[in-house]
Amino acid sequence: MIRKIYIILVSMVVLGISSCNDFLDLKPMSYPTDENFWQTDDDANSGVAAIYALIRQAFNYSGGMTFYAYGDFPSDEFTTSGGAPWMFNHVIDMNWSFAVPSSDTGNPLLRLRRYDIFYRAIDQANRVLKYVPDMSASAFASEQARNRLIGEAYFCRAFVYFYMSRVWGGVPLVTETIQVDEAQDIDAVKAEEILDQCLQDIASAKSLLSWDRGSSSTRAIRANKTALFALEAHIHAWNQDYTLCAEAADSVLTYGGLAYVGRGESYKSIFVGQSNEGIFEISQNATNEGTVSGIGMNTLVEPYLRGRTGNPGLIISPTHIGSLYPTDDLRLTNAFDLQASETSAVCTKYSNVTYTDETANAIAVFKNNIIIFRYSDIKLLYAEALAATGREVAATSVLNEVRNQAGIGDWDLNGDLFEEIIAERGRELFLEGHRFYDLIRLGRFKGKLLFGSKMTATQFNAGKYYWPFDPSLLNVNRRLRQTSFWSTVNM
């Protein structure tokens, strides 16, 4: 039963969240504390902090690479390599039904097929939405302070459901927190119902959040109205409702107070986090934060990662990089090293690495935020929406704005504008969790598939891009049914 999953995961989640800054260094509370817990502004704030902490845990769950495994690995960015943790080769090849014993709970493929921690984040948001509105007004400095916390909970619930819907399509919809003795098996509703709920939550949050970017310590890692409209723009793009996508993206660009970071030496500051481009990020960059595993461990080599010689675990084809970026592209110069590895391009976006000490046995600690939404992402999503709705002159202008930041000049008008915008997103947002979903939108809207042998047109139309549920989930929730394409595959 789905609620049993929540309870079983509590101790694992609390122990699994790595050290965090003051905001995220707050653990999900256990259910027995609810009756007496929600008393002060600090209580409510810690309740919201726990949602963000659980999202962070979910994105780091599979060896620190869940976010990238979903959004990048199955795209054209990587080639299969025996150097990576070998189960990730199945992710890259879209061999997502590969059999894994349910007892092998640390296996990244099994973890990627389960939604446990995402639902812990949703349940925590539901608890905030249940208890914070009923707290005494005297607990808060102002109603605005209370509203901000409620708005963040709505945002987080909408974000997590949107993210899960892109991964699995339809999933169980739970909008209330209930006691464990009331647990029940829950059907997965259609993807359209999940996305409708996301948009309802966004509508609820709009009057509660402000455009204020917050303090230097919370900017981009706590949701505001800019993050809310960025999420709305992405949902509408996924729904192919490009008119509403353009409206939401335009609000971000008009009111968000954002600016480009130069594509020169300062470019990698975007990935350290909380730059002028940051809209919504998962914090991992504070003094007492960081992860000892993750994307940097599998994409870096010397001199960016001590003791890692030869090739990185995940192979990026130098030929592909050469075809993707013009030689004068500043992003090529400042986010890639084509000399550090014999057979792989080395993406250096996540090279903000510190070490526990200066000995030969020092442990690398990676301190890059997980960048969910940023300025250039929404710029190009806006261009995509403009192109999709026939406003080609305006779309080309936005596309050229991003290209000129990278020093590659205006688009030469050769080819299809929509496809060129998706290609530019591939250059600008390489290894930022977007590419796989961008290619799905390209396939849906233009019928152009760039998945090679990983996914044929027939498989695409059957929904292969949605992940299967791990069989262990089907055993727990008897009303859950396997996702459409994968129900035809023996697992």
Side-chain angles (χ1 to χ4, degrees):
M1 291 183 291
I2 200 166
R3 286 288 298 176
K4 287 184 179 178
I5 294 174
Y6 300 159
I7 304 304
I8 291 169
L9 265 286
V10 169
S11 60
M12 181 183 69
V13 169
V14 171
L15 295 174
I17 297 173
S18 56
S19 60
C20 310
N21 62 22
D22 289 343
F23 175 60
L24 285 184
D25 198 20
L26 297 162
K27 307 299 189 289
M29 295 77 67
S30 61
Y31 288 89
T33 68
D34 273 330
E35 185 176 345
N36 299 313
F37 178 80
W38 304 91
Q39 303 296 322
T40 69
D41 190 1
D42 284 344
D43 295 340
N45 190 61
S46 64
V48 172
I51 311 171
Y52 291 102
L54 284 160
I55 296 173
R56 175 185 175 181
Q57 172 69 9
F59 282 158
N60 281 326
Y61 190 40
S62 301
M65 293 198 287
T66 296
F67 179 75
Y68 307 98
Y70 286 140
D72 291 294
F73 288 9
S75 74
D76 53 0
E77 292 179 343
F78 292 99
T79 58
T80 297
S81 167
W86 72 277
M87 276 293 170
F88 285 112
N89 293 334
H90 293 294
V91 180
I92 293 170
D93 291 338
M94 294 187 71
N95 184 22
W96 298 341
S97 63
F98 187 85
V100 178
S102 60
S103 59
D104 190 6
T105 55
N107 190 299
L109 194 58
L110 181 147
R111 290 186 171 196
L112 288 166
R113 296 192 304 226
R114 292 184 64 99
Y115 48 45
D116 310 71
I117 303 179
F118 289 116
Y119 273 105
R120 279 291 298 136
I122 286 171
D123 189 63
Q124 186 63 24
N126 289 341
R127 295 167 75 218
V128 170
L129 294 172
K130 177 179 180 179
Y131 291 106
V132 172
D134 292 336
M135 290 174 62
S136 170
S138 64
F140 300 93
S142 65
E143 278 303 299
Q144 182 181 15
R146 185 209 302 263
N147 288 342
R148 176 178 57 81
L149 296 173
I150 296 171
E152 286 182 86
Y154 275 123
F155 167 85
C156 288
R157 187 169 73 178
F159 171 71
V160 174
Y161 268 128
F162 171 58
Y163 200 88
M164 285 202 298
S165 186
R166 288 197 304 183
V167 174
W168 288 285
V171 292
L173 180 60
V174 185
T175 57
E176 295 182 357
T177 183
I178 57 176
Q179 298 302 315
V180 66
D181 58 4
E182 299 174 5
Q184 57 185 313
D185 291 349
I186 303 176
D187 292 321
V189 304
K190 293 180 179 179
E192 293 82 1
E193 294 181 58
I194 295 296
L195 297 177
D196 284 347
Q197 179 63 50
C198 295
L199 293 173
Q200 289 177 40
D201 284 348
I202 288 170
S204 297
K206 283 183 177 178
S207 64
L208 303 173
L209 295 174
S210 73
W211 294 102
D212 185 359
R213 298 198 73 198
S215 67
S216 59
S217 63
T218 63
R219 185 176 65 231
I221 64 171
R222 296 193 71 156
N224 66 352
K225 195 168 282 190
T226 311
L228 190 71
F229 276 90
L231 173 59
E232 183 180 14
H234 269 282
I235 293 172
H236 289 313
W238 189 250
N239 275 337
Q240 296 184 64
D241 190 339
Y242 279 113
T243 298
L244 292 179
C245 173
E247 292 177 6
D250 182 60
S251 293
V252 172
L253 303 176
T254 301
Y255 302 110
L258 304 163
Y260 289 108
V261 170
R263 274 35 179 171
E265 292 183 1
S266 61
Y267 185 44
K268 282 186 281 192
S269 68
I270 293 173
F271 313 105
V272 175
Q274 297 180 288
S275 72
N276 288 333
E277 290 210 20
I279 295 174
F280 181 54
E281 309 170 1
I282 304 302
S283 183
Q284 299 192 135
N285 69 355
T287 301
N288 60 334
E289 287 181 352
T291 176
V292 297
S293 60
I295 195 64
M297 181 64 75
N298 291 285
T299 56
L300 300 175
V301 296
E302 290 272 14
Y304 308 98
L305 181 59
R306 294 181 195 170
R308 179 63 61 86
T309 58
N311 295 317
L314 294 164
I315 300 300
I316 301 171
S317 166
T319 302
H320 175 62
I321 296 302
S323 66
L324 187 63
Y325 295 94
T327 55
D328 57 348
D329 195 314
L330 293 173
R331 296 165 299 193
L332 175 64
T333 304
N334 293 293
F336 293 91
D337 189 328
L338 302 182
Q339 307 299 321
S341 168
E342 294 179 1
T343 61
S344 176
V346 175
C347 181
T348 60
K349 284 185 174 182
Y350 305 107
S351 55
N352 186 37
V353 186
T354 61
Y355 297 88
T356 52
D357 55 53
E358 295 302 316
T359 69
N361 296 321
I363 297 172
V365 181
F366 301 91
K367 293 189 173 181
N368 302 279
N369 280 1
I370 298 174
I371 311 301
I372 308 296
F373 306 133
R374 65 179 175 98
Y375 188 47
S376 295
D377 158 35
I378 302 303
K379 276 282 187 181
L380 289 170
L381 197 67
Y382 183 48
E384 179 182 330
L386 293 172
T389 52
R391 291 172 280 181
E392 295 192 351
V393 173
T396 302
S397 177
V398 177
L399 168 63
N400 288 337
E401 182 182 315
V402 176
R403 289 174 59 88
N404 281 292
Q405 287 293 318
I408 58 175
D410 290 352
W411 177 46
D412 62 9
L413 304 180
N414 183 26
D416 181 86
L417 175 58
F418 188 95
E419 292 178 19
E420 183 58 32
I421 292 167
I422 295 296
E424 185 61 31
R425 284 181 64 85
R427 288 184 283 271
E428 177 63 24
L429 304 172
F430 191 96
L431 196 51
E432 295 183 41
H434 290 282
R435 181 62 173 170
F436 185 59
Y437 302 115
D438 290 350
L439 294 183
I440 293 171
R441 293 199 310 279
L442 177 63
R444 285 173 164 181
F445 190 72
K446 301 292 289 189
K448 183 168 184 176
L449 301 182
L450 298 178
F451 301 100
S453 61
K454 297 179 183 180
M455 182 162 51
T456 67
T458 299
Q459 292 171 334
F460 181 86
N461 292 332
K464 184 181 179 181
Y465 52 82
Y466 289 128
W467 275 73
F469 296 121
D470 192 78
S472 59
L473 285 180
L474 304 180
N475 292 333
V476 172
N477 182 356
R478 296 294 182 176
R479 295 178 65 178
L480 189 65
R481 297 293 178 264
Q482 188 57 273
T483 54
S484 178
F485 172 84
W486 298 100
S487 67
T488 68
V489 177
N490 183 16
M491 295 184 67

